[in-house]
Amino acid sequence: MALLQEIPDIPASAEAARIGGWVCFGPGNPGTGPGAGLGSLQTSKVPSRGAESRPPLLGPLQSLDRRPAPPAPTRGTPEGSGPGAAPRRGVRPRSARSGLRDLPGPRARPATPPLRREEPPQTPGPVPDVVMAQWDSAGDTGQGPQGTTAGPPRASGVSPTKGIASGPPKTSGVSPTKGIASGPPKGSETPPPKGTTTGPPEPSAAPPPKGTAAAPSSGTTTGPPRGTTAPPVRASGTPPGPGPSRRGGLREGDPAVTAPAPKVTKVAVVRKKVVRKKVVRKKKVVKKKPEAPAAPEEPPCPPLGLESLRVLDTQLRASSHKRHGLGAHRGRLNIQSGLYDGDFYDGGWCAGHEDTEQWLQVDARRLTRFTGVVTQGLNSIWTYDWVTSYKVQVSNDTHAWLPSRNGTEEAVFPGNTDPETPVLNLLPSPLVGRFLRINPQSWFPNGTVCLRAEVLGCPVPDPHAWPPPPPPASQLDFRHHNYKEMRKLMRRVSEECPDITRVYSIGQSSRGLRLYVMEISDNPGQHEVGEPEFRYVAGMHGNEVLGRELLLNLMEFLCREFRLGNPRVVQLVTDTRIHLLPSMNPDGYETAYKLGSELAGWAMGRWTYEGIDLNHNFADLNTALWDAEDNDLVPHQFPNHYIPIPEYYTFANATVAPETRAVIAWMQRYPFVLSANLHGGELVVTYPFDMTRTYWKAQELTPTPDDGVFRWLATVYATANLAMASGERRPCHYDDFTRFGNIINGANWHTVAGSMNDFSYLHTNCFEITVELSCDKFPHASELPEEWENNRESLLLFMEQVHRGIKGVVRDSDTEQGIPNAIISVDGINHDVRTASDGDYWRLLNPGEYEVTARAEGYEAATQPCRVYFENVPTPCSFRLARARGRHRPGRSRPGPDPALRLQRLRLRRLRAHGRGQ
């Protein structure tokens, strides 16, 4: 708020004074001094910058003393300020943006002393002519002439904000309410100046500018804001504080000093209630302009195929090597070494010299845009060797080499810090060429120059070459599916073929992910008498992902071909109940999936979330069987099939994964006949037994009584697999399985105690083999179509083997009802099977003639010959058993279970109980 100054007599003056945007001209000499002759005023409006948008600044009344006062320093005016005084530190000079023009006369005036509030007299007196001192728009900053400070002292030490009216010191710290202006008190007896009209000013037709104070309404006197106390006004008789006069007031020596002091009435303070209204502004809905479609991102380049053997040994060269087992052909990502030091097939490439001139070279056989390199150290249980940094060069002729540069310098890429963890380095900019070299620069101090590698690159189109043949058209979803995407695909297939599919869950993983199974049959959800049940299991090791994707593609293929009327698929679905478990270890898969194809390594994601290898987590039934055989207890005192689970396996503290418990319960629920467990990391098919009979041996041929059947089943899959049957393929790691037809006894490869193959064979009727699908555990998505073509026929042909052998139903001769748990024995084979709940059974056999015996508790045994033909059609071989006399109570329709079955059921019940308690 501004100040309302009372000036008793205003003599004529030649000086032109600008007060609040008004310039007063008089006849006096403009250079005679301050306050000389202010009579006969003539006014002319001089617009000041921003004045039209500022509210008038009105303050309390102030009487100016006519007596001279010695100057005194104040807070707002330093001592010694005035005309010619140098500005002191902390006093802000006059701003160039103040809007005050230089007036004639002295260039600097004395600073205004601080205003003191004085009590007004009780009796009114005459009011002299009044001049409103309006602050310039820039005067709100509290600045006077250059080098001085105008206005009352600031209580907070901060200049008033621009655009806010200044006033007396606030007692409550609240600024005056916007829109309330101060004026003369209502009811004052002081007559107005001559020639003026009393009363409030007439309202203007035009609204005041935004930010200015609105004129008070008639009969209303505004004061300080609500909650504050109006400051008292000093009477005219009280001398003001020392110091020079205020700008625009009278100065010492003026003629008007001798005039009588005016009497000022007491100000009546009337508070006006300010009502705040909440204004709800409608949000403007800005319609976004349709963005231009983003350019499709270019997919990253796939690996050339060092790990998957698409790059042949002849395409790899090196500057030197220690020995043939450590040559360039061994420098492949994730390649494994043998158990012995100095094997002919070792775990990487090792240079013959330890210097920075060594290199490993890859020939892409065509122009390629190289984008990255993945490296590992040497795989060995005897030494630690890896490269810690290297350079990369490309060439078209192996003579002129272009290095990869990072700006103007040759790029040096960081290598490995351990032998097994893959490290990916993307090139700063892709390099185009046919050959690529990896040039090691530093290596593990206690080791030597050894590495394994994979190269990422995209082939460059060759306009002069014949276009490659188009890939086979397929509607299958060839990509890697995480857990959510797998569920969506299974749901989609089930919706496309609801008449032949059913999705169900057999349990949960350690982290709560469900183990989903897709059933494909002409009557899903129902076991049909005489129809065998088949299963595929994949993803036991989470990082071996190819089996998972093959089963998902198999679901799509069977659904599509059945709808198209493919006779082979229609017959397979009609005569077989198929169960597909694509992910037995979903927790491990999610771990490997996050790292990706090339960075998952050889073991990351292999185990469950609890760190359990599921292929070693099933109950060891082999040891109990072999101990009983050594003591001649089989089969009269110890069974050769349906062997009960050991008691220690049912303890509460037994280390049994929830995934394992779920699969065991699944085996008990369905009478599976044939199964395959899909793995990765090799190209071979293994069959039981997986555990060596001599416990201290790591490798030993340990066949089952059905060794001939298992060898046939393994051969069927291996010979139909295009990758295994290829005569040009090389060994994946250190074993050459092509010498044995790409099949091997599991224990003769390496011993595995507690495998699912052995457990399935000894605890149920199911014959199960293990299929190692590829050298690469986690092939790139670009390789999935080729892998599907390699395994499609094998998957179909192996499922059809479930119909090989004999099948039939064992019934009660009196009631014609099926007899469950009847034992089917084949002469010459020390392994029996049992009938299902409806009395039906299936026994896998190779072509030939067999003597088959059926017996059950409380019935007389029956034997008959059965012949198996070469056609893939089961031979019917059913039995009707008569009740044994004197071996059952009268009126009892069904015999009780034998002791072995009672023990088996008791152990299974305990196992399930502890599984629910965890």
Side-chain angles (χ1 to χ4, degrees):
M1 302 177 68
L3 299 176
L4 180 62
Q5 300 176 347
E6 298 181 2
I7 305 177
D9 293 325
I10 305 177
S13 172
E15 180 183 8
R18 175 183 178 181
I19 304 174
W22 294 85
V23 178
C24 304
F25 298 95
N29 186 4
T32 57
L38 296 178
S40 303
L41 295 177
Q42 298 178 0
T43 62
S44 175
K45 182 66 176 178
V46 179
S48 62
R49 182 175 57 189
E52 67 277 8
S53 63
R54 303 290 181 183
L57 308 177
L58 307 178
L61 298 177
Q62 177 187 9
S63 60
L64 303 180
D65 197 351
R66 302 178 182 179
R67 294 174 298 177
T74 62
R75 180 179 178 184
T77 306
E79 184 178 358
S81 63
R88 297 186 58 186
R89 182 179 182 182
V91 179
R92 186 165 52 185
R94 176 181 178 181
S95 173
R97 301 172 58 88
S98 63
L100 296 177
R101 298 181 180 179
D102 295 332
L103 301 178
R107 302 178 67 88
R109 297 183 179 181
T112 304
L115 303 180
R116 296 184 180 181
R117 295 187 293 272
E118 299 179 354
E119 294 293 338
Q122 299 297 330
T123 58
V127 180
D129 295 338
V130 178
V131 177
M132 289 279 189
Q134 181 184 1
W135 290 71
D136 192 275
S137 61
D140 294 344
T141 59
Q143 295 180 355
Q146 186 175 3
T148 63
T149 304
R154 297 185 297 272
S156 62
V158 182
S159 59
T161 308
K162 185 176 181 180
I164 300 177
S166 303
K170 298 185 290 290
T171 60
S172 64
V174 181
S175 59
T177 307
K178 182 179 179 181
I180 300 177
S182 301
K186 181 180 180 181
S188 174
E189 297 180 1
T190 305
K194 185 177 182 180
T196 62
T197 305
T198 60
E202 297 182 1
S204 175
K210 185 177 180 180
T212 61
S217 60
S218 176
T220 303
T221 303
T222 60
R226 184 178 181 180
T228 61
T229 305
V233 183
R234 292 183 179 273
S236 59
T238 304
S245 301
R246 178 176 172 83
R247 173 173 56 90
L250 298 180
R251 304 175 185 274
E252 184 179 359
D254 289 346
V257 173
T258 58
K263 295 182 179 181
V264 183
T265 60
K266 187 175 182 180
V267 178
V269 178
V270 179
R271 297 184 179 91
K272 181 179 179 180
K273 185 177 181 180
V274 179
V275 181
R276 296 183 177 179
K277 295 183 179 180
K278 185 177 181 180
V279 180
V280 180
R281 297 180 179 179
K282 295 183 178 180
K283 295 183 178 181
K284 295 182 179 180
V285 180
V286 181
K287 296 183 179 180
K288 295 183 178 181
K289 297 181 180 180
E291 298 181 356
E297 296 184 0
E298 185 178 359
C301 290
L304 296 186
L306 276 76
E307 181 179 8
S308 60
L309 301 184
R310 287 187 298 171
V311 174
L312 304 179
D313 289 350
T314 56
Q315 297 177 243
L316 299 176
R317 292 185 57 197
S319 56
S320 62
H321 57 266
K322 283 188 174 182
R323 61 177 185 271
H324 181 76
L326 295 173
H329 63 287
R330 304 297 296 173
R332 300 173 182 269
L333 191 70
N334 287 322
I335 200 168
Q336 302 296 299
S337 65
L339 298 178
Y340 306 102
D341 188 21
D343 281 345
F344 186 76
Y345 299 106
D346 220 318
W349 163 71
C350 289
H353 308 282
E354 296 184 8
D355 56 57
T356 58
E357 301 299 326
Q358 306 304 309
W359 44 262
L360 175 67
Q361 177 179 303
V362 181
D363 180 8
R365 290 189 171 179
R366 61 177 301 173
L367 285 180
T368 304
R369 184 167 62 92
F370 299 106
T371 59
V373 175
V374 185
T375 58
Q376 279 178 319
L378 177 70
N379 175 255
S380 175
I381 62 176
W382 307 102
T383 61
Y384 294 92
D385 303 286
W386 61 82
V387 170
T388 57
S389 66
Y390 60 90
K391 296 180 180 179
V392 174
Q393 299 96 20
V394 297
S395 174
N396 288 331
D397 54 5
T398 70
H399 296 289
W401 292 90
L402 175 67
S404 175
R405 295 186 177 276
N406 189 5
T408 59
E409 298 181 354
E410 188 172 357
V412 178
F413 299 95
N416 301 87
T417 57
D418 62 81
E420 295 300 329
T421 304
V423 175
L424 168 64
N425 283 296
L426 297 178
L427 305 184
S429 59
L431 299 177
V432 177
R434 174 178 170 177
F435 303 92
L436 181 139
R437 278 185 180 178
I438 302 174
N439 177 213
Q441 298 297 302
S442 60
W443 45 90
F444 181 55
N446 295 332
T448 184
V449 182
C450 296
L451 61 82
R452 293 173 288 169
E454 180 64 87
V455 178
L456 308 182
C458 298
V460 177
D462 188 357
H464 304 288
W466 288 97
S474 178
Q475 300 177 357
L476 305 183
D477 190 3
F478 293 122
R479 61 189 177 96
H480 291 291
H481 300 79
N482 59 15
Y483 178 74
K484 293 183 179 180
E485 294 169 344
M486 180 190 71
R487 291 179 55 187
K488 292 180 181 179
L489 186 145
M490 297 178 71
R491 185 184 300 113
R492 176 173 57 83
V493 172
S494 180
E495 292 173 353
E496 291 178 0
C497 300
D499 297 335
I500 63 170
T501 60
R502 179 177 72 100
V503 178
Y504 64 96
S505 172
I506 63 173
Q508 294 182 352
S509 68
S510 303
R511 303 186 67 182
L513 302 181
R514 293 189 176 275
L515 309 182
Y516 287 107
V517 178
M518 170 73 77
E519 177 188 345
I520 302 178
S521 175
D522 57 341
N523 292 305
Q526 179 181 356
H527 171 71
E528 301 179 48
V529 177
E531 182 175 280
E533 309 223 8
F534 175 91
R535 74 166 183 255
Y536 270 132
V537 179
M540 172 177 277
H541 295 148
N543 62 332
E544 299 170 8
V545 305
L546 181 56
R548 174 193 182 107
E549 301 305 326
L550 289 179
L551 292 191
L552 295 178
N553 295 146
L554 182 61
M555 298 174 191
E556 298 177 295
F557 176 81
L558 294 178
C559 173
R560 185 191 65 185
E561 295 300 318
F562 185 86
R563 295 174 60 186
L564 295 177
N566 187 325
R568 182 183 185 186
V569 174
V570 171
Q571 182 180 3
L572 182 63
V573 172
T574 303
D575 298 340
T576 314
R577 192 180 183 192
I578 304 169
H579 303 260
L580 305 178
L581 173 60
S583 183
M584 182 179 171
N585 181 11
D587 296 343
Y589 176 83
E590 294 298 314
T591 301
Y593 178 82
K594 292 177 182 178
L595 295 175
S597 171
E598 309 308 317
L599 300 182
W602 187 252
M604 187 62 66
R606 174 185 177 91
W607 301 277
T608 66
Y609 180 75
E610 298 175 340
I612 299 175
D613 189 339
L614 296 180
N615 202 33
H616 296 257
N617 196 230
F618 288 83
D620 175 18
L621 306 181
N622 305 55
T623 302
L625 174 64
W626 294 331
D627 290 344
E629 289 180 349
D630 293 341
N631 296 322
D632 295 330
L633 301 178
V634 178
H636 306 288
Q637 300 181 28
F638 193 91
N640 60 11
H641 69 288
Y642 268 50
I643 300 176
I645 295 176
E647 187 177 4
Y648 72 87
Y649 197 78
T650 64
F651 292 161
N653 59 351
T655 305
V656 183
E659 296 88 347
T660 306
R661 298 178 188 271
V663 171
I664 292 176
W666 186 37
M667 293 178 179
Q668 299 296 327
R669 195 177 310 126
Y670 298 93
F672 293 113
V673 179
L674 182 61
S675 173
N677 186 9
L678 306 183
H679 286 246
E682 258 293 355
L683 275 172
V684 67
V685 181
T686 68
Y687 53 88
F689 286 120
D690 289 337
M691 179 180 177
T692 58
R693 187 158 186 165
T694 306
Y695 68 91
W696 50 268
K697 287 187 177 181
Q699 295 174 326
E700 182 185 28
L701 179 62
T702 310
T704 64
D706 288 285
D707 185 65
V709 177
F710 277 113
R711 290 175 60 87
W712 168 258
L713 296 174
T715 302
V716 166
Y717 196 100
T719 55
N721 185 279
L722 300 182
M724 296 182 188
S726 175
E728 299 179 357
R729 81 171 190 89
R730 52 142 291 171
C732 292
H733 300 287
Y734 55 88
D735 285 320
D736 187 6
F737 296 110
T738 58
R739 298 177 299 169
F740 313 108
N742 298 299
I743 66 171
I744 191 173
N745 175 257
N748 200 25
W749 183 19
H750 57 83
T751 183
V752 177
S755 70
M756 188 168 68
N757 290 4
D758 293 356
F759 181 85
S760 179
Y761 178 70
L762 296 177
H763 189 69
T764 68
N765 292 335
C766 186
F767 288 34
E768 183 171 301
I769 64 173
T770 296
V771 181
E772 300 286 347
L773 295 168
S774 68
C775 300
D776 190 352
K777 287 187 175 183
F778 201 139
H780 193 267
S782 61
E783 302 175 8
L784 294 180
E786 181 181 357
E787 295 294 349
W788 165 253
E789 294 298 327
N790 290 340
N791 291 273
R792 180 185 60 183
E793 181 62 25
S794 299
L795 294 171
L796 296 176
L797 190 59
F798 185 77
M799 285 191 291
E800 294 171 345
Q801 303 308 305
V802 73
H803 299 283
R804 175 174 292 274
I806 61 176
K807 73 173 184 178
V809 180
V810 179
R811 291 185 173 91
D812 189 317
S813 60
D814 297 333
T815 63
E816 295 298 329
Q817 293 182 355
I819 301 176
N821 295 316
I823 300 176
I824 307 299
S825 302
V826 179
D827 187 24
I829 301 178
N830 190 20
H831 182 80
D832 303 335
V833 297
R834 288 182 181 260
T835 59
S837 59
D838 295 325
D840 50 346
Y841 77 95
W842 304 264
R843 182 59 165 95
L844 298 181
L845 294 170
N846 285 335
E849 293 185 1
Y850 301 93
E851 292 288 334
V852 182
T853 302
R855 62 181 183 272
E857 186 74 17
Y859 291 89
E860 298 288 346
T863 303
Q864 66 178 357
C866 297
R867 184 172 184 175
V868 179
Y869 299 93
F870 286 92
E871 291 79 8
N872 198 28
V873 178
T875 301
C877 192
S878 299
F879 295 87
R880 299 176 70 246
L881 302 183
R883 294 179 181 273
R885 298 179 181 180
R887 301 188 59 181
H888 66 283
R889 296 192 300 269
R892 185 171 182 178
S893 60
R894 296 193 176 209
D898 57 17
L901 286 179
R902 288 198 300 267
L903 181 61
Q904 183 192 47
R905 292 173 181 175
L906 176 62
R907 300 274 174 85
L908 288 174
R909 192 180 303 115
R910 291 180 182 176
L911 181 65
R912 288 193 294 267
H914 292 314
R916 288 191 298 267
Q918 291 181 353

